[in-house]
Amino acid sequence: MSSSLFWGDRAVVLFPGWPGARGLGSYLLSLLFVLALAALAEALHAVSAHVAHRWRRRGAVVPALLLTAVHAARMGAAYLLMLAVMSYNGGVLLAAVAGHALGFLLTRSWARRAEEMEAGHGAGAGAGGGRDRVPPSDDAAKA
C-alpha cells in the first residue's frame, strides 16, 4: 500500500485483491462502486434531513428509530468511503468526490421539489388563496 497518491489501475480498494491486478474493467467497476457509495451517502443525508423536517413536531418513536437507522447507514457508507480513499489511488479519490457531487445535485433538487410540492399544497384556495385581498367596497365603486 502506497503512502502517497498514485495513479493506476492496480489498486486495492476495500478488500484484499479487489480489484488488484484484474485489469482495467475491474478497476472501473470499483470506481463505479465508490461513486455510487458516495452518492448513496448524500442521498441518505437528504432523506435524514427530510424525515427530521417532516416529523419535527411529532414526538413519536417511529421517526426517531427511522432517523437512527438512516444515520447508521449513512455513517457506514461514509466509513467505507474513507477506507476506499485510503487506498491512496487518485481515481478512487476522484470517484468519491464525483459521487458526492452527483448525490448532492440529485438529492438537493429532489428535496427542493418536495418542499415546493408541500408549499404548493398549502397555497391554494383553501389556505390564504384570496383571503389577503380586500374586496372593493361600495363607496370605492361609487367614487
Side-chain angles (χ1 to χ4, degrees), residues 51-139:
V51 169
H53 175 74
R54 188 165 178 86
W55 294 90
R56 71 177 175 257
R57 292 195 179 118
R58 299 182 180 122
V61 174
V62 174
L65 291 175
L66 180 62
L67 279 172
T68 302
V70 169
H71 181 75
R74 183 175 144 224
M75 289 298 103
Y79 279 116
L80 281 174
L81 279 168
M82 179 192 66
L83 289 173
V85 170
M86 285 179 60
S87 70
Y88 292 103
N89 184 276
V92 172
L93 175 65
L94 291 179
V97 171
H100 276 292
L102 181 66
F104 181 85
L105 176 69
L106 295 176
T107 58
R108 296 312 186 249
S109 63
W110 167 78
R112 185 177 303 126
R113 279 195 306 265
E115 287 175 4
E116 288 172 357
M117 287 179 65
E118 280 185 16
H121 290 301
R131 261 192 288 175
D132 298 333
R133 291 189 221 147
V134 177
S137 66
D138 290 335
D139 294 334

Side-chain angles (χ1 to χ4, degrees), residues 2-60:
S2 178
S3 61
S4 62
L5 195 65
F6 73 97
W7 300 90
D9 63 350
R10 294 181 183 259
V12 175
V13 180
L14 293 177
F15 307 108
W18 184 71
R22 294 183 184 168
L24 184 61
S26 292
Y27 177 69
L28 292 176
L29 184 64
S30 70
L31 294 183
L32 185 63
F33 174 77
V34 169
L35 187 133
L37 191 62
L40 176 68
E42 286 294 327
L44 289 172
H45 176 72
V47 166
S48 177
H50 180 72
V51 169
H53 175 74
R54 188 165 178 86
W55 294 90
R56 71 177 175 257
R57 292 195 179 118
R58 299 182 180 122

